[in-house]
Amino acid sequence: MSQSTSAQQPSKEQSKWLDGGRQESGNLHAAESGGPRIVPNSSGHVATSLESSRIQADPCGHGSCTAPALAAVDSITDDDALFVRSLTERFMSNPAGDDDIRLVQRQLGRYPRGMVSVGARCAVCGAPFVVVTRPMLTDGTPFPTTCYLTSPEAVKAVSHVEAAGRMAQFNELLAQDERVKSGYVRAHRMYLAFRSELAGRLGDDERHIAGISAGGMPTRVKCLHALVAQSLVMGNGINPIGDMTLELISDEFQPGVCRCSIHEAQSR
Ligand SMILES: [Zn+2]
């Protein structure tokens, strides 16, 4: 998907963490119209070099972003592990229904392969903002971008921030601010932990994407869409750059304000 849109002047300078309670990470109760469609993969898949190059070429799927391949999955605190486990449970017990899949297909202009659940919704109309995608698609294709931003309004708003050059500023902030740096590392670890929980529940092999999270984590900022997606799925206080980006785009996109162009009742 293209994220090349006209640049917009940045609205304000960001140097702080957000206050709590910005958004809930998705109302999942309205989701189910169909039964679970998530079929565990058979074990033992090993990525081919073609698959590996596909991951590296466009890990976030929003353009030309690249992500670093890192070796190890580092540990997270017990509280964070508990949080990730309960998040996984929530999504696994609220699988994507037919209506959600249709809506996301219209948002993306393609079928959302490997969609596990809706990761975050518009608080007003219920339209999906983010989808949670399984670590390995049923044909064996590895899929590292577990939290994928689908809301056209959010994608566009984030693209404006990227086009305005904010990623360079975030990279500077990341290099200079120890709190942001450590928060970003934690976000990376939680992203991996979340995907591992999903992989365990679904029987997906994630060895070929071990250590690869999204958006450039943990050392660089390379795709704000991916970071915002994580912030929307996991809530405020997990991904500092995603949270700051959400604040930057609040004039264009807010989880609690419905600006959705694609609704359930509309035709295309
Ligand atoms: Zn809406």
Side-chain angles (χ1 to χ4, degrees):
M1 153 185 336
S2 170
Q3 56 185 30
S4 171
T5 50
S6 60
Q8 156 180 303
Q9 284 300 106
S11 57
K12 53 196 159 183
E13 201 55 45
Q14 284 305 313
S15 61
K16 60 179 173 53
W17 296 77
L18 301 178
D19 294 325
R22 169 186 291 282
Q23 86 275 331
E24 298 301 320
S25 22
N27 170 14
L28 294 163
H29 301 294
E32 289 196 63
S33 63
R37 67 195 62 246
I38 306 159
V39 183
N41 276 314
S42 57
S43 59
H45 174 81
V46 177
T48 63
S49 57
L50 175 63
E51 287 165 355
S52 299
S53 63
R54 211 181 308 163
I55 306 170
Q56 291 305 308
D58 187 13
C60 85
H62 286 109
S64 59
C65 315
T66 56
L70 295 163
V73 178
D74 295 303
S75 62
I76 56 175
T77 66
D78 290 347
D79 281 352
D80 285 352
L82 199 63
F83 171 79
V84 163
R85 213 166 296 138
S86 81
L87 196 67
T88 307
E89 175 56 35
R90 227 168 76 207
F91 293 134
M92 289 298 295
S93 57
N94 289 277
D98 290 337
D99 289 346
D100 289 325
I101 291 173
R102 268 196 295 272
L103 269 176
V104 171
Q105 184 164 6
R106 285 164 58 199
Q107 289 178 321
L108 298 176
R110 60 174 170 78
Y111 184 80
R113 296 171 72 209
M115 179 173 166
V116 173
S117 184
V118 173
R121 293 178 186 280
C122 173
V124 179
C125 78
F129 286 156
V130 180
V131 295
V132 172
T133 302
R134 65 186 307 165
M136 186 168 70
L137 306 183
T138 48
D139 67 355
T141 304
F143 199 93
T145 314
T146 308
C147 305
Y148 193 95
L149 194 64
T150 65
S151 156
E153 290 71 34
V155 169
K156 189 174 167 187
V158 173
S159 293
H160 289 160
V161 172
E162 288 190 352
R166 284 296 177 136
M167 280 205 285
Q169 293 175 19
F170 279 136
N171 275 309
E172 278 175 32
L173 182 66
L174 192 60
Q176 291 162 6
D177 188 313
E178 288 301 324
R179 192 167 60 160
V180 172
K181 192 184 290 184
S182 63
Y184 202 55
V185 168
R186 172 177 172 242
H188 166 71
R189 292 174 179 174
M190 289 184 74
Y191 200 103
L192 295 180
F194 178 44
R195 196 176 63 214
S196 281
E197 285 286 334
L198 285 170
R201 296 282 297 265
L202 294 165
D204 285 4
D205 183 351
E206 55 165 359
R207 280 175 295 178
H208 42 277
I209 47 177
I212 300 173
S213 60
M217 290 188 285
T219 55
R220 298 285 294 165
V221 178
K222 295 192 174 184
C223 177
L224 295 178
H225 300 87
L227 306 181
V228 162
Q230 182 182 15
S231 285
L232 289 170
V233 169
M234 296 191 175
N236 182 63
I238 306 289
N239 191 311
I241 310 281
D243 291 352
M244 284 187 274
T245 304
L246 271 175
E247 190 162 300
L248 281 174
I249 64 174
S250 60
D251 288 347
E252 285 186 84
F253 172 84
Q254 285 180 58
V257 178
C258 182
R259 298 182 176 104
C260 307
S261 59
I262 296 176
H263 299 274
E264 199 170 336
Q266 291 175 332
S267 60
R268 190 163 205 151

